Amino acid sequence: MARSAGRLSDTSLCSRTLGPSAFPQFSLDSTSICLPFSPEPLLSLHERALYQEKSLLDRSTLDTRRVPFSPSQHQTIAIFFFSSITCVSSLPAKRSSNELATQGTMPSFAHLLLLTLTLALTFLHRPTPALCIADHPHATATATQPQTFILVLKSPAEAGTSEDDHRWWHETFMPSPLAGSDEPRLLHTYTEVFTGFAARLTDAELDMVSKKPGFLRAFPDQIWHPATTHTPEFLGLKRGSGLWRDVSYGKGVIIGVLDTGIYAQHPSFDDAGIPPPPSKWKGSCHGAARCNNKLIGAKFINRYANDSSDDTGHGTHTSSTAAGNFVSGASAHGLGSGTAAGIAPGAHLAMYRVCTIHGCTVANIVAGLDEAVKDGVDIISLSLGPFFDVNFSEDPVAIGAFSAVAKGIVVVAAAGNNGPKSFVANSAPWLLTVAAGSVDRSFETVVQLGNGDHVNGEAFNQISNSSAKQFPLYWNKHCKSLPARNVSGKIVICHDTGSMNNTGSVNNTDISAIMSAGAASIVLINRKDAGFTTLLEDYGNVVQVTVSDGMKITEYVKTTTKASAAVIYKNTVLGVRPSPMVAAFSSRGPSRFTPGVLKPDVLAPGLNIIAAWPPLTLFGSGPFNIRSGTSMSTPHVSGIAALVKCSHPEWSAAAIKSAILTTSDITDSTGDPILDEQHQRATAYAMALAVIVRNPRLSCKMLSKIPESQLNYPTITVPLRTRPFTLNRTVTNVGSANSVYTLKIEVPESLTVSVYPETLVFSKAGQKISYTITVSSHGNAGEKIMEGRLSWVSGHYVVRSPIVAVAGLL
């Protein structure tokens, strides 16, 4: 159930959501989104990934530091087989007409779970969007050594071709075996998300393959990277009551996780109270120490991995966040003690290990998507992202995900950790793209200055306080320990410099050197662009403080002859306000390729999240650990999608997405607009589609084109101009008959919005009503973006859509 905002204002980052009608629910006049296979190589979004000095992964989260990619590295080409033109179009799917469809506000997650889901408005645009993949010459390979490519071919004429037949057919494209190598040519066969394969080929061999009948396009492989005890309660989930009880904790729903593997023996994956998987399940367990009714599938899809276990911890963390079972007495390093549970603790899990410590190849990710669809998952959770921005028409993962959504599977993906810059990953309109925010919990540590002032910080490692002993303060701006500097018995104050998008200036070696020199403790002042976001790192005996609080300490040191301080550990504090806030690292929109579609879609907890962890990895030890990133926020939404699916199994993927987006909170815990990391109001970019089916009978030439703003999305993005701009939305009532919704508009004075009709009167469930929106501006004083909100309000529910007017938008 959605509730109205405590205070109405411009739409914030957390107020956006997509409704069940994000994809149209029935066939309309044809329109297409054409994805030509163009010759440019696949480029990936540069999102942050925390990496360790001696490996690709850092100790704090798998989403922070960039790993350089060299074109000479091993690449994989995947071949897709389509008919000359394959379109995914919104035509009648075999579904109940009582499909939820709503409009949305990109929401704060705190209220997301109160959705009663009795009303939803399905946005249906006429004509019907269709995704078309047209013939196009392949990109010329330049490497002389074998590389991995993903190849696309036309679909075979025979219907019902078996997987073995596909593989045999794919083998006919292969040149002779590689001289002096026992490595296979054919790496993956794709039959579900598209027809194709991944193979190792030289440039000459690729040219030869491209001349064979049926070839469409080749993509060079690329490397992607991996982008709790309290967060369910923060989202309004309580054991034995409310939504959890009403939807049986998500029982019967299957969440497929594509990640680094899973530590199957963890108690979060016990199956107490979990029924057997549904009869549709076709998956299996390979290389996992234990599968049961909770963990029903585990596969490794990487030739450098020989089992589905997790040697980094990332996959175990994300899996348990989505659907971990209840574990009492959980804590991470003594912090956050309580009962741990995933967002959908009754749901089934299937792990597809597509990553190793070195990253995740696109060929493996596509293979994981293919296996997940084949096995029968309901939700796909993708806490992964590319290193560089890429148009979804050039991204095999986005194309494969489109096919999954067309088959009714909700695909949830990380927005990336490029914040606070405006680079958002996984921005394809059919993906549910997740940003990261804070929760109302702090692992508080107080720095008590000698003058009596108190500065609040946080610490990953905390010890019991035997006394509030004062130590001299030593300010070492660059966090380096030099022999000439005497830091023994002192608290060292130093700075982490650099931006959120690089490795910064501090590492574990520097911290260890200072502590080895006899320092009593270290107070680390966070990076400037982190603002009020404290991303906890396992640095040892270190207190992290914001730049604002750090200035209080340094000013005290500068103005005091014998500056001193004591460190007092508070462990875990709940009820921190304001919350949520947008985390500094969370990527922001707009998408460079689809600026008319508001991305990210939703904000979820992703800062300092406690979840399951293997006993011992290079990046920390279990059984629970603290990590941050959009990798952590993504499985929260995957779990929510599972709960909605459990309550409404007949709903389409788009309907579930729309329900989530349009029923989420748009205010923080104080009732005010959600803030960003600088404590400024978060924009819609800081934080609607239609049911689609593959229809080979349609072609891009047969379908008219449509502007992004005219797509039947729950979010409304329009040009910012004085001349009125008009668009239409169609909604479907999935609640009770005889429902009435009245219009409420909140926009800046310089923005004029009119809607007709102003009242939606439904006489039956499943009824569809269209309305028209006209937007114009006046006296906007050169502003580039203006935000507002459109809400439909009944006696019990509020369904919100953000309105974002952007200068220069076509």
Side-chain angles (χ1 to χ4, degrees):
M1 176 193 307
R3 70 183 180 212
S4 58
R7 191 173 95 183
L8 298 171
S9 58
D10 291 354
T11 302
S12 71
L13 163 67
C14 298
S15 66
R16 300 202 285 120
T17 50
L18 286 171
S21 140
F23 295 112
Q25 306 296 305
F26 52 84
S27 177
L28 300 168
D29 298 335
S30 297
T31 257
S32 66
I33 304 171
C34 287
L35 302 186
F37 286 123
S38 63
E40 290 80 8
L42 174 65
L43 296 177
S44 299
L45 177 70
H46 164 59
E47 88 171 351
R48 302 181 320 125
L50 290 175
Y51 285 97
Q52 181 128 355
E53 297 167 273
K54 295 183 180 180
S55 72
L56 298 180
L57 304 177
D58 186 285
R59 299 184 68 88
S60 72
T61 165
L62 295 174
D63 287 324
T64 16
R65 299 180 187 168
R66 171 179 174 179
V67 176
F69 176 78
S70 167
S72 64
Q73 289 178 343
H74 220 44
Q75 300 183 15
T76 303
I77 294 187
I79 300 181
F80 305 68
F81 301 85
F82 291 98
S83 54
S84 273
I85 302 239
T86 298
C87 292
V88 182
S89 176
S90 304
L91 294 179
K94 294 180 180 179
R95 316 192 158 268
S96 163
S97 63
N98 186 27
E99 302 232 278
L100 168 71
T102 45
Q103 24 172 212
T105 42
M106 172 177 179
S108 141
F109 227 70
H111 184 63
L112 162 61
L113 281 110
L114 297 179
L115 39 97
T116 304
L117 305 177
T118 51
L119 157 82
L121 303 176
T122 298
F123 289 93
L124 298 169
H125 181 329
R126 313 163 194 267
T128 299
L131 176 63
C132 300
I133 304 180
D135 295 335
H136 198 290
H138 73 280
T140 303
T142 57
T144 58
Q145 298 298 317
Q147 303 176 66
T148 302
F149 292 91
I150 302 167
L151 285 78
V152 183
L153 304 180
K154 296 178 182 179
S155 298
E158 302 82 4
T161 303
S162 69
E163 189 170 344
D164 288 341
D165 290 338
H166 272 284
R167 189 170 187 87
W168 175 84
W169 183 33
H170 300 165
E171 290 281 5
T172 66
F173 284 82
M174 293 298 97
S176 58
L178 292 170
S181 173
D182 58 358
E183 294 189 14
R185 285 278 201 176
L186 185 61
L187 302 180
H188 298 297
T189 291
Y190 309 127
T191 61
E192 295 292 332
V193 293
F194 46 70
T195 308
F197 62 86
R200 297 180 66 239
L201 301 169
T202 65
D203 54 349
E205 291 166 344
L206 177 59
D207 289 338
M208 179 187 68
V209 169
S210 69
K211 294 178 174 63
K212 293 192 175 186
F215 175 87
L216 282 181
R217 175 68 197 275
F219 294 97
D221 197 14
Q222 296 284 357
I223 298 291
W224 284 30
H225 58 86
T228 95
T229 60
H230 179 64
T231 52
E233 183 178 350
F234 177 70
L235 299 179
L237 296 170
K238 295 184 179 181
R239 194 171 188 177
S241 64
L243 183 63
W244 258 357
R245 178 198 59 203
D246 295 343
V247 300
S248 302
Y249 303 95
K251 289 180 180 178
V253 180
I254 304 168
I255 302 176
V257 181
L258 276 62
D259 218 296
T260 63
I262 191 167
Y263 177 61
Q265 295 86 347
H266 197 282
S268 290
F269 309 123
D270 287 346
D271 64 354
I274 309 297
S279 58
K280 71 169 185 174
W281 176 244
K282 299 180 179 64
S284 57
C285 285
H286 299 160
R290 179 192 67 171
C291 274
N292 52 26
N293 287 339
K294 165 58 72 175
L295 181 62
I296 60 174
K299 296 182 178 180
F300 54 98
I301 306 168
N302 193 309
R303 60 198 178 103
Y304 298 111
N306 55 14
D307 59 33
S308 55
S309 63
D310 185 9
D311 53 10
T312 71
H314 189 270
T316 301
H317 198 283
T318 57
S319 298
S320 65
T321 300
N325 211 337
F326 293 97
V327 180
S328 60
S331 68
H333 309 280
L335 301 176
S337 181
T339 297
I343 301 302
H348 306 288
L349 277 169
M351 169 57 66
Y352 301 87
R353 185 180 181 184
V354 298
C355 306
T356 67
I357 195 171
H358 301 296
C360 328
T361 67
V362 167
N364 289 340
I365 297 170
V366 174
L369 286 171
D370 202 71
E371 286 293 315
V373 174
K374 191 183 308 176
D375 289 344
V377 304
D378 300 301
I379 315 292
I380 290 176
S381 190
L382 197 64
S383 289
L384 311 172
F387 286 107
F388 303 97
D389 207 355
V390 55
N391 194 331
F392 56 77
S393 66
E394 296 292 316
D395 179 7
V397 176
I399 295 171
F402 187 89
S403 295
V405 172
K407 296 179 180 183
I409 300 169
V410 181
V411 182
V412 186
N417 297 336
N418 284 318
K421 295 183 178 180
S422 295
F423 297 111
V424 60
N426 294 312
S427 61
W430 48 88
L431 298 174
L432 209 176
T433 310
V434 187
S438 65
V439 297
D440 65 338
R441 177 180 61 193
S442 171
F443 304 119
E444 189 170 302
T445 301
V446 176
V447 179
Q448 182 177 303
L449 303 179
N451 62 3
D453 290 345
H454 291 73
V455 174
N456 291 331
E458 294 191 74
F460 192 99
N461 295 284
Q462 300 192 15
I463 59 175
S464 299
N465 292 295
S466 56
S467 66
K469 182 179 179 180
Q470 293 276 322
F471 293 92
L473 294 180
Y474 180 87
W475 185 24
N476 180 359
K477 185 173 182 180
H478 298 291
C479 279
K480 304 293 182 183
S481 177
L482 301 177
R485 297 174 178 172
N486 179 19
V487 298
S488 180
K490 299 176 182 178
I491 296 176
V492 176
I493 315 297
C494 58
H495 298 252
D496 188 359
T497 60
S499 70
M500 293 296 297
N501 300 98
N502 61 31
T503 59
S505 62
V506 177
N507 56 47
N508 284 310
T509 301
D510 296 329
I511 297 296
S512 297
I514 294 173
M515 296 305 297
S516 297
S521 184
I522 297 173
V523 175
L524 179 63
I525 300 172
N526 292 340
R527 312 173 192 206
K528 183 177 181 179
D529 59 358
F532 290 88
T533 295
T534 296
L535 191 155
L536 285 179
E537 307 271 7
D538 188 6
Y539 285 138
N541 190 18
V542 174
V543 180
Q544 295 176 239
V545 299
T546 66
V547 170
S548 176
D549 288 329
M551 289 177 61
K552 298 176 184 177
I553 301 175
T554 56
E555 194 62 30
Y556 166 67
V557 173
K558 292 176 184 177
T559 58
T560 306
T561 304
K562 294 183 178 181
S564 65
V567 175
I568 303 171
Y569 298 103
K570 298 288 188 177
N571 199 287
T572 305
V573 176
L574 301 179
V576 175
R577 294 188 175 195
S579 62
M581 289 193 308
V582 181
F585 55 77
S586 187
S587 291
R588 319 295 160 90
S591 166
R592 184 160 63 96
F593 304 106
T594 55
V597 177
L598 208 54
K599 287 286 179 175
D601 291 310
V602 67
L603 184 79
L607 179 65
N608 301 330
I609 303 301
I610 297 176
W613 200 262
L616 185 63
T617 72
L618 291 172
F619 319 113
S621 58
F624 293 90
N625 211 343
I626 300 171
R627 287 295 181 269
S628 297
T630 53
S631 280
M632 284 65 248
S633 58
T634 298
H636 282 84
V637 181
S638 301
I640 294 301
L643 296 179
V644 179
K645 180 73 174 179
C646 182
S647 179
H648 297 276
E650 77 282 4
W651 280 0
S652 68
I656 292 171
K657 178 179 180 180
S658 185
I660 291 173
L661 299 185
T662 59
T663 54
S664 300
D665 269 349
I666 56 173
T667 56
D668 62 24
S669 54
T670 67
D672 291 329
I674 293 169
L675 304 179
D676 65 13
E677 73 285 347
Q678 300 296 340
H679 279 184
Q680 301 297 312
R681 177 182 293 181
T683 70
Y685 286 124
M687 343 182 276
L689 308 172
V691 174
I692 51 177
V693 293
R694 181 172 293 178
N695 181 12
R697 295 174 298 172
L698 297 180
S699 71
C700 290
K701 292 181 180 179
M702 296 167 57
L703 303 175
S704 60
K705 294 183 179 180
I706 182 171
E708 294 164 358
S709 57
Q710 295 290 356
L711 292 173
N712 198 52
Y713 277 60
T715 57
I716 300 167
T717 306
V718 298
L720 178 60
R721 66 188 194 190
T722 56
R723 188 170 75 256
F725 183 90
T726 300
L727 61 154
N728 302 305
R729 292 292 187 265
T730 301
V731 296
T732 301
N733 177 30
V734 297
S736 59
N738 301 316
S739 300
V740 178
Y741 290 82
T742 57
L743 176 69
K744 185 174 185 178
I745 296 178
E746 303 137 274
V747 294
E749 291 183 358
S750 55
L751 199 65
T752 300
V753 177
S754 61
V755 178
Y756 181 82
E758 295 185 355
T759 303
L760 304 179
V761 181
F762 296 98
S763 59
K764 60 182 178 180
Q767 182 181 354
K768 299 175 179 63
I769 298 178
S770 296
Y771 61 90
T772 298
I773 310 153
T774 301
V775 182
S776 61
S777 66
H778 53 90
N780 59 351
E783 293 192 41
K784 300 297 184 183
I785 297 177
M786 300 185 72
E787 300 178 23
R789 182 162 62 251
L790 179 157
S791 301
W792 293 105
V793 184
S794 73
H796 298 90
Y797 311 109
V798 178
V799 181
R800 306 181 185 92
S801 287
I803 301 172
V804 180
V806 183
L809 188 67
L810 299 178

